Amino acid sequence: MHIYSPEQKVEHPLYKQHRVEVFMKRDDMIHPFISGNKWRKLKYNLQKAQQENKKVVVTFGGAWSNHLLATACAGATFNLKTIGFVRGEEVRNPVLDMCRLFGMKLLFVSREEYKDKDALFYQLENKDDNFLINEGGSGLEATWGCKELISELKQEYDHIFCAAGTGTTAAGIAIGINDHKWKTLLHVVPVLKNGEFILDEIKKFNASTDQTILHLDYHFGGYAKTKPDLLAFVQEFVASTAIMIEPTYTGKVAYALHDLIKKGYFTENSRILFIHTGGLTGLLGHLDKFKKG
Ligand SMILES: *Cc1c(COP(=O)(O)O)cnc(C)c1O
């Protein structure tokens, strides 16, 4: 299936000042709801579900999960029913409401129950019709989809930046870089605290981590946590580039990139690619926090 994800040069005064070139892989443009890396992570999972004649896709996520929304919309697109187990007590928010609009059945479970995903899956009816996709869409099939991103690029880069939650996207990209025998350094920004584990996650998929660098100091307090500094940065970035980012994933990566540029981390004429992993509906949970002009 053809996707639209252009590779665009980003203009920002900071890049000129430090003589670096920054490009963005616009995976956010793939689809408004099956967005960014979630499209890539679902692709081979859904193919497998169809090949196995499954009727229902079952998956897991938090209350603001981009993956739940992507799966709900993909289910509606490919004629598969969807069930989403949501971590924590029942809440309503725009992301969950949109999941329901796409026909997803939401089942709220306690944080304790949520830990045992297999148990939740096996207690469902008509087990043989059901296809399980991990939380965040993570897994081997997801890396196959993510590594294709590298084959789509028109040029080799010195540096590639991406966000990590589970690390599956980073693993796919690392595999793509290895396959192409590029010298590119992969910079991964874990968006949660204690993100060291991401390196092990990448290794799990037999991807070499020789060219991978983790930047552990840009989580801003943890997953989905923000600070005024980050919010102000996101606001400035969006206004000056006209590219929408959000504070949970892409905002943290862009912040890390700008911080490293300011610190003189990159040599002159470095070519840097920023992977826009999408997920802009996450903004709906933060909009009221931005400063009024
Ligand atoms: C889910 C998500 C990620 C994290 O991807 P992983 O493969 O879990 O590391 C990054 N960016 C956005 C926008 C996401 O929605």
Side-chain angles (χ1 to χ4, degrees), residues 121-138:
F121 181 77
Y122 285 110
Q123 80 186 25
L124 292 170
E125 295 170 1
N126 306 322
K127 279 191 273 305
D128 294 343
D129 288 341
N130 298 349
F131 186 81
L132 183 147
I133 298 182
N134 295 332
E135 179 176 34
S138 65

Side-chain angles (χ1 to χ4, degrees), residues 37-38 41 66 163-169 249 277-279:
N37 63 342
K38 299 304 183 282
K41 292 170 85 172
N66 295 331
T166 65
T168 300
T169 302
Y249 293 101
T277 42

Side-chain angles (χ1 to χ4, degrees), residues 35-38 41 64-67 135-139 142 146 162-171 188-189 191 198 223 246 248-250 253 275-280:
S35 168
N37 63 342
K38 299 304 183 282
K41 292 170 85 172
W64 286 95
S65 167
N66 295 331
H67 166 68
E135 179 176 34
S138 65
C146 292
C162 77
T166 65
T168 300
T169 302
V188 179
V189 180
V191 300
I198 296 288
Y223 182 70
E246 45 66 52
T248 305
Y249 293 101
T250 47
V253 181
I275 316 258
H276 195 315
T277 42
L280 293 173

